[in-house]
């Protein structure tokens, strides 16, 4: 299984854990909620769904078709397929959520993993965030060293482009620092702790995102029965 298809399977399982959906709904959620999947097509999604069904992680059920805005009704249109997570699929997704290896914090994987942090335990979130920060700090060090070596040979525009890239990485490192601090303090989205106590307490099982206005996060059809 390729890295990219693995990300897609993870995201599909995560979305279906929230509720059963048909392919049109899934693709819409992937495109609008998870920016990393904006370029994915139906031709990529449906083989993924078939694989998950074959593995026993999803079931296919007949369901009603969604009304596409502006589309004329089609005579004899067949029922949509609704995809539902099986108990085995839920167990598999939870196993994937618990993984904290390098794939969890590489660029594309991190965006997908971050999108499901609400379903992830705090200790796993911390390991993924710290892994991502460490990876970006390594990248930033290499970028700075490269810029120092080549600065005199670069024209102004190329130099500015490299500075822009470094600033983007620096911003994400600052954002990760805020997230890690919030997780350690046990704060939720509003800055209070998960159990309603004052900030600074580590009680509670859900973590939080810093409410920093300059922070930027990762850019975390027709199914027919045959």
């Amino acid at each position: 299984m390729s890295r990219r298809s693995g990300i897609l399977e993870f995201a599909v399982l995560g979305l279906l854990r929230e509720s059963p959906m048909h392919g049109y709904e899934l693709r819409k959620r992937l495109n609008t909620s998870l920016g990393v999947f904006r370029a994915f097509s139906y031709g990529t999604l449906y083989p993924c769904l078939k694989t998950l069904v074959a593995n026993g992680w999803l079931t296919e059920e007949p369901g009603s078709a969604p009304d596409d805005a502006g589309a004329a009704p089609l005579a004899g249109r067949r029922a949509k397929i609704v995809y539902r997570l099986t108990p085995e699929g839920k167990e598999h997704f939870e196993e994937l959520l618990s993984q904290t290896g390098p794939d969890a914090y590489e660029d594309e994987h991190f965006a997908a993993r971050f999108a499901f942090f609400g379903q992830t335990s705090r200790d796993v979130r911390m390991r993924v965030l710290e892994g991502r920060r460490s990876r970006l700090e390594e990248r930033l060090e290499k970028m700075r060293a490269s810029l120092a070596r080549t600065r005199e040979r670069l024209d102004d525009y190329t130099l500015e482009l490299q500075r822009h890239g470094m600033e983007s990485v620096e911003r994400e490192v600052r954002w990760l620092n805020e997230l890690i601090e919030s997780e350690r303090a046990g704060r939720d989205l509003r800055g209070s702790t998960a159990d309603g106590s004052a900030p600074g307490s580590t009680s509670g099982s859900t973590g939080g995102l810093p409410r920093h206005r300059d922070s930027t996060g990762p850019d975390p059809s027709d199914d027919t029965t045959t």
Side-chain angles (χ1 to χ4, degrees), residues 31-44:
N31 288 345
T32 59
S33 301
L34 304 176
V36 68
F37 297 108
R38 286 175 187 148
F40 275 77
S41 66
Y42 291 117
T44 304

Side-chain angles (χ1 to χ4, degrees), residues 171-207:
R171 280 196 300 272
E172 186 170 349
V173 170
R174 290 195 297 269
W175 175 72
L176 289 166
N177 286 336
E178 293 182 11
L179 286 171
I180 291 168
E181 181 183 353
S182 292
E183 290 288 346
R184 285 175 176 163
R187 290 194 294 268
D188 65 11
L189 286 171
R190 293 167 298 281
S192 61
T193 56
D195 61 355
S197 57
S201 169
T202 57
S203 60
S205 60
T206 60

Side-chain angles (χ1 to χ4, degrees), residues 8 45 67 70 111 119 128 135 149 153 155 226:
L8 181 59
L45 175 59
D67 294 328
Q119 303 179 41
V128 173
R135 181 59 51 89
R149 290 193 306 268
R153 302 194 300 271
D155 62 65
T226 55

Side-chain angles (χ1 to χ4, degrees), residues 38-39 56 89 93 104 114 123 130 171 173 183 192 198 209 214 225:
R38 286 175 187 148
F93 179 68
F114 190 84
D123 62 323
E130 289 172 343
R171 280 196 300 272
V173 170
E183 290 288 346
S192 61
L209 308 179
D214 294 328
T225 55

Side-chain angles (χ1 to χ4, degrees), residues 4 58 74-75 87 122 128-129 152 174 177 189 208 214 220:
R4 196 160 176 81
L58 302 182
L74 300 177
R122 174 172 293 162
V128 173
L129 290 172
E152 300 302 324
R174 290 195 297 269
N177 286 336
L189 286 171
D214 294 328

